[in-house]
Amino acid sequence: MTKIGSVATRVGRKALLLGSGELGKEVAIELMRLSVEVVACDKYAGAPAMQVAHRSHVLNMLDGAKLREIIELERPDHIIPEVEAIATPTLVELEKEGYHVTPTANAALLTMNREGIRRLAAEELGITTSPYMFASTEEEFREAVSKVGVPCVVKPIMSSSGHGQSVVRSMDDVDRSWHIAQEGGRAGAGRVIVEGFVNFDYEITLLTVRSVSGTEFCEPIGHIQIDGDYRYSWQPQAMTPAAKAKAQEIAKKVTDALGGYGIFGVEMFIKGDDVIFSEVSPRPHDTGMVTMISQDMSEFALHARALLGLPVPAIRFYGPSASRAVVVEGDTNRIEMDNLEAVLSEPGTQMRIFGKPEIVGHRRMAVILATDESVEAARAKAERAYEALQVTVLPRE
């Protein structure tokens, strides 16, 4: 039997979040709904999940010694990585010592950089991927671009939200792309992946849940990215029955190899009935924020339920839905979101404002959610709400 005792007592459960952004905040809320004590960690103070957690710590999560110190201090029942930039070898050591990492320390290790998961999928599991090569030096990078061919996409092996990503459209772009990748990696300068362009009709995120009940799939999520960063998502993405079945087969093969319980965001390219694997995140996915309005259990509720060892017997899908990210540019610790009565005037609209403490450059600060009779109508409704939103960037205090 699975049991959860009174919060913050010897019989209670404690979860430690490694990463406390908007996705971690929703996971924290769902865990607290099940009486779990939540400790939020991130590299800066006042991160969104810290605003709702019982306690928080600020640290460089790539510092293995500091990470171990906090985990040994808190002694959590569940260690939940919510970002890629973590000292995963330390998590592997801690798991061997008896700590529980979600979904597993090995899954965090393999997926924290694109090389581990790409080699697992393509070279061990035999799953179709885009052509790729890795490079550690500028000389190797030039050679990789020449062999993969242009156009190609360049990404640091450790990055997220499009940081460090660029497109090489001709050999004249090589220097620029190399420097973008070196500046944008989560762990600083380092190794990159060069990926050949894939001819595809659309791309999806297939949220895949592993729990004591087995494996369940959410309806496929379509999305649009700008410079590698998500801007729009919708659910369901229309697919042929053959493509959907193949996508589920690939997602199960990859997530079974990674193991553990929790939600996985499996990204794939679709061309007709053909499916090409791209990436997987062993945690909630930003494009999956649409599930906060489209399902009876959001991706965050599913993650919390699964990692606690509770069953996920089925996922009830409510109907066509869409999300629209609100990205704000500036250098400030003060913004105002105005005209909210117009933003939320239509039935079937919701909004989440993340509460991030500052912006330097550009940052995703909120998301608008909508549901309607069709995906097209839901996307249009979300866009109308977005157009009604007024954002004021005030001078930094």
Side-chain angles (χ1 to χ4, degrees):
M1 292 194 304
T2 300
K3 58 184 178 182
I4 299 175
S6 299
V7 69
T9 70
R10 292 182 183 179
V11 295
R13 296 266 198 110
K14 183 192 290 187
L16 186 138
L17 291 176
L18 297 178
S20 298
E22 62 266 35
L23 307 185
K25 180 179 182 179
E26 296 296 332
V27 172
I29 291 169
E30 294 296 344
L31 288 168
M32 295 171 83
R33 284 181 169 140
L34 293 168
S35 192
V36 176
E37 183 180 0
V38 177
V39 181
C41 300
D42 214 312
K43 62 184 179 181
Y44 66 95
M50 292 180 179
Q51 299 166 22
V52 299
H54 293 90
R55 246 178 351 278
S56 64
H57 298 276
V58 177
L59 74 151
N60 174 4
M61 292 178 291
L62 288 167
D63 183 338
K66 186 64 177 178
L67 183 62
R68 172 179 282 276
E69 177 186 325
I70 288 175
I71 289 171
E72 290 180 344
L73 171 69
E74 292 289 353
R75 303 197 67 80
D77 300 286
H78 304 276
I79 300 170
I80 308 172
E82 286 298 312
V83 294
E84 295 88 353
I86 299 171
T88 47
T90 301
L91 294 185
V92 173
E93 293 170 3
L94 289 164
E95 189 173 75
K96 290 177 181 176
E97 295 166 19
Y99 287 94
H100 185 274
V101 180
T102 299
T104 66
N106 188 53
L109 179 67
L110 285 173
T111 59
M112 80 167 292
N113 73 66
R114 293 179 168 92
E115 184 164 3
I117 192 60
R118 181 58 63 94
R119 293 197 186 280
L120 171 68
E123 299 171 22
E124 295 185 35
L125 301 178
I127 294 170
T128 301
T129 70
S130 61
Y132 65 90
M133 289 187 70
F134 296 98
S136 297
T137 66
E138 190 167 358
E139 184 180 352
E140 290 177 358
F141 175 63
R142 286 182 173 277
E143 182 180 356
V145 171
S146 296
K147 289 184 176 179
V148 171
V150 293
C152 59
V153 180
V154 178
K155 307 171 188 174
I157 61 170
M158 283 179 56
S159 71
S160 64
S161 300
H163 295 295
Q165 181 172 322
S166 64
V167 176
V168 177
R169 301 190 184 279
S170 74
M171 295 306 290
D172 292 338
D173 295 329
V174 169
D175 287 342
R176 179 185 61 86
S177 290
W178 172 255
H179 289 296
I180 289 172
Q182 296 306 295
E183 292 168 2
R186 283 258 179 167
R191 199 160 165 83
V192 303
I193 182 172
V194 179
E195 293 184 273
F197 260 35
V198 174
N199 182 19
F200 62 92
D201 298 327
Y202 54 92
E203 54 185 321
I204 66 165
T205 302
L206 186 60
L207 294 174
T208 304
V209 190
R210 299 186 86 250
S211 74
V212 293
S213 304
T215 300
E216 292 285 337
F217 304 99
C218 297
E219 287 294 317
I221 297 170
H223 51 87
I224 293 175
Q225 299 186 17
I226 297 175
D227 296 327
D229 195 10
Y230 137 82
R231 291 290 192 274
Y232 311 85
S233 69
W234 56 88
Q235 192 183 25
Q237 167 64 52
M239 302 178 68
T240 67
K244 187 173 181 178
K246 192 173 293 185
Q248 292 181 349
E249 178 186 346
I250 289 172
K252 188 173 190 306
K253 186 180 285 189
V254 171
T255 55
D256 282 352
L258 293 174
Y261 292 156
I263 199 158
F264 299 77
V266 186
E267 295 181 73
M268 291 173 271
F269 301 110
I270 314 297
K271 178 67 174 177
D273 291 340
D274 294 329
V275 180
I276 300 167
F277 173 80
S278 177
E279 295 181 354
V280 59
S281 300
R283 60 186 70 88
H285 199 272
D286 51 8
T287 63
M289 284 192 279
V290 67
T291 62
M292 289 189 282
I293 199 169
S294 67
Q295 302 179 171
D296 64 337
M297 290 183 283
S298 71
E299 62 171 343
F300 311 105
L302 292 168
H303 196 47
R305 193 157 161 166
L307 71 88
L308 291 172
L310 301 173
V312 181
I315 302 166
R316 184 182 177 190
F317 179 64
Y318 289 144
S321 305
S323 76
R324 174 62 157 96
V326 178
V327 177
V328 182
E329 294 188 5
D331 185 346
T332 186
N333 60 353
R334 293 191 304 154
I335 67 166
E336 288 181 345
M337 294 196 182
D338 200 351
N339 204 33
L340 298 181
E341 65 277 11
V343 173
L344 299 173
S345 62
E346 292 189 62
T349 56
Q350 297 181 21
M351 187 176 186
R352 303 288 190 274
I353 302 174
F354 304 144
K356 293 179 180 178
E358 69 172 356
I359 304 166
V360 178
H362 69 274
R363 202 171 191 190
R364 189 167 58 225
M365 301 299 284
V367 66
I368 293 169
L369 309 166
T371 187
D372 214 307
E373 293 300 312
S374 68
V375 164
E376 293 75 19
R379 289 183 63 185
K381 182 183 290 185
E383 192 63 23
R384 287 194 297 274
Y386 176 81
E387 292 297 331
L389 179 65
Q390 297 175 8
V391 180
T392 304
V393 177
L394 300 168
R396 183 182 286 272
E397 285 189 338

